[in-house]
Amino acid sequence: MNESKKTITVLFHNNQWRTFGLLLVFMGITFLLPSCGNKDGDNNGDDFDRQAMLENYADNLILPAYQHFEQKVDSLETVLNAFSNNPSTQALALLQTTFLNTYRSWQNVELYEFGPAAEVILRSNVNTFPTDVFIIDKNISEGSYDLDIPSNIKAKGLPAMDYLLFGLGEDNTEILEYYTTDADAANRLQYLEDVFGDISTRTTSTIDKWDNYRSTFVGATGTDIGSSTSLLINEFNFEFELTKNPRIGIPLGAKSSGQALPGNVEAYYSGISKELALINLQNIVNVFRGKAFNSSQTGPSLESYLDQLGAEYRDGQSLSEAIIEQFEKDETALQAVPDPLSDAVISNESLVQTAFDEFVKTVVLIKTDMTSAIGIQITYQDNDGD
């Protein structure tokens, strides 16, 4: 059992923040695992070239996606500085647009929570949602806070910026007043800058360390716990379940006896929840197929790994084909949900339920059938019972 993953799931689902301290301890142990991945450990006896697969992931998917996100973060810094120096509705609109592009880009890197990203707990610090507006407003009012402490994990990251840029008023004229004439305007602007600074610092640390981590990643070619294939497949599954549950199922009410929780969607205030979920899903599909970031080029992948193993699903259909077909059903069902998702979980519940049901089917294929075929142990534990 990977206790760090279990704890992360608890953070998302039950808000038991006291466990976050334990998370730091467990993560400290987990960080060591990639370097311990035996190059040849437990290679399952197959002759698939896992190093070539890992090189494809590192060079054509992971690093380009991180570089794209870094560019978006840099652009966000530029327009944030312009807004801070001269707040206006025009500067706010540009800041909002740049922020949304950054949020979209984030969906392409969130899956890679191992190595340098795990060291800075990137996913939890950048995108724990729903954000807690009470804590944010309290921090701003008091003008004193420490964004590194666990109790502020839901008052930072992209979800906090989503609130600060879109959730303060009915329109941009009203939102701007919170940064110009409001009694806490100076504190609020400083808080916005500090939240962004935390995102930027953790992103830069992750990308800088990948220069050295790449050789570790492509060299840990076994399939044992701590090997790169194990880390990748575990994060692949964990990320898909984050889309199934926090992004869709929990707002739908799948974990609250049918009581919809519209405020729990990702990017609640900007209203791009469905778009982000679709981008996230597409990245998961691209990872499965080994499709290079922002390119049609493909390389050795989980899909080709299953094909070389001759993994079958039923009636002679290959497992990889079954997974691709199910991914297409996921996308079709999610596309059918009208925007915004926070309204759809109330007004179009059946469509959201259909999408959630399709995602549940996918979990069986990738978490049970795929991992069994390749011989990878799932090392995290969710609390879903499905």
Side-chain angles (χ1 to χ4, degrees):
M1 175 188 301
N2 186 320
E3 292 290 351
S4 64
K5 281 297 177 55
K6 180 179 179 181
T7 307
I8 288 174
T9 304
V10 170
L11 289 174
F12 268 101
H13 295 175
N14 299 327
N15 297 332
Q16 295 176 354
W17 303 107
R18 292 179 181 176
T19 60
F20 195 78
L22 293 175
L23 167 64
L24 299 180
V25 175
F26 291 128
M27 291 299 287
I29 297 173
T30 304
F31 299 154
L32 300 177
L33 292 178
S35 61
C36 297
N38 188 340
K39 181 175 181 179
D40 301 313
D42 296 338
N43 67 16
N44 292 346
D46 65 67
D47 58 359
F48 183 74
D49 189 347
R50 282 188 292 274
Q51 180 164 341
M53 178 184 73
L54 296 172
E55 289 174 346
N56 181 47
Y57 282 126
D59 298 337
N60 297 321
L61 283 87
I62 299 174
L63 289 171
Y66 271 133
Q67 290 161 0
H68 184 266
F69 182 60
E70 184 178 41
Q71 292 170 2
K72 296 304 179 185
V73 171
D74 289 345
S75 296
L76 187 58
E77 181 176 25
T78 299
V79 297
L80 176 57
N81 288 338
F83 176 74
S84 299
N85 293 329
N86 185 22
S88 66
T89 54
Q90 292 79 9
L92 176 59
L94 180 58
L95 179 56
Q96 290 170 328
T97 299
T98 308
F99 166 76
L100 294 180
N101 288 334
T102 305
Y103 216 154
R104 295 180 179 108
S105 180
W106 163 256
Q107 303 300 321
N108 294 312
V109 301
E110 186 176 274
L111 185 152
Y112 308 124
E113 186 76 355
F114 42 77
E119 289 184 21
V120 297
I121 318 177
L122 189 65
R123 177 161 48 202
S124 294
N125 279 289
V126 171
N127 198 30
T128 292
F129 60 91
T131 199
D132 192 323
V133 299
F134 174 80
I135 297 177
I136 292 174
D137 291 342
K138 179 174 179 290
N139 287 342
I140 291 172
S141 177
E142 294 177 349
S144 177
Y145 43 83
D146 181 356
L147 293 179
D148 288 330
I149 62 176
S151 59
N152 275 326
I153 197 71
K154 295 186 74 175
K156 61 191 296 190
L158 296 172
M161 292 190 70
D162 183 65
Y163 165 64
L164 292 167
L165 295 179
F166 292 92
L168 297 175
E170 294 297 323
D171 54 37
N172 279 0
T173 298
E174 189 173 337
I175 292 173
L176 184 64
E177 292 175 356
Y178 282 87
Y179 292 99
T180 52
T181 59
D182 184 80
D184 291 327
N187 284 359
R188 185 169 292 103
L189 188 57
Q190 184 62 55
Y191 194 80
L192 179 63
E193 292 174 344
D194 290 342
V195 168
F196 168 77
D198 186 79
I199 296 171
S200 178
T201 298
R202 294 177 191 275
T203 299
T204 299
S205 173
T206 299
I207 295 173
D208 287 349
K209 290 181 179 179
W210 253 95
D211 288 340
N212 291 325
Y213 178 72
R214 179 196 176 279
S215 61
T216 300
F217 179 75
V218 303
T221 58
T223 55
D224 53 334
I225 295 175
S227 66
S228 295
T229 301
S230 174
L231 292 172
L232 179 68
I233 290 179
N234 270 278
E235 291 301 332
F236 177 85
N237 276 277
F238 190 73
E239 184 66 24
F240 187 85
E241 295 203 75
L242 289 181
T243 298
K244 175 176 73 76
N245 291 326
R247 290 187 171 91
I248 301 173
I250 291 176
L252 175 65
K255 310 299 175 182
S256 52
S257 302
Q259 179 64 47
L261 302 171
N264 281 38
V265 299
E266 185 178 29
Y268 171 72
Y269 297 98
S270 57
I272 62 168
S273 310
K274 189 184 85 170
E275 179 186 0
L276 295 183
L278 283 167
I279 295 172
N280 190 285
L281 174 62
Q282 186 58 60
N283 184 62
I284 290 171
V285 174
N286 290 344
V287 169
F288 179 73
R289 309 204 75 167
K291 183 174 176 294
F293 180 75
N294 276 347
S295 167
S296 60
Q297 173 191 342
T298 59
S301 63
L302 298 177
E303 179 185 23
S304 57
Y305 197 170
L306 290 174
D307 289 343
Q308 180 157 322
L309 292 171
E312 293 187 357
Y313 179 53
R314 62 177 60 157
D315 299 329
Q317 183 185 31
S318 73
L319 179 57
S320 67
E321 289 176 348
I323 292 173
I324 292 298
E325 285 184 4
Q326 186 56 47
F327 278 145
E328 291 172 349
K329 292 178 181 177
D330 295 339
E331 180 180 1
T332 298
L334 189 54
Q335 286 280 16
V337 176
D339 282 321
L341 182 58
S342 55
D343 288 348
V345 297
I346 303 295
S347 59
N348 287 279
E349 179 185 354
S350 62
L351 290 177
V352 184
Q353 182 68 54
T354 297
F356 178 72
D357 291 343
E358 293 296 343
F359 274 68
V360 170
K361 296 175 186 175
T362 307
V363 170
V364 177
L365 289 169
I366 64 175
K367 190 176 182 182
T368 302
D369 296 342
M370 182 178 77
T371 56
S372 177
I374 298 178
I376 294 295
Q377 179 180 348
I378 291 296
T379 55
Y380 68 89
Q381 178 177 336
D382 61 35
N383 299 324
D384 300 333
D386 57 9

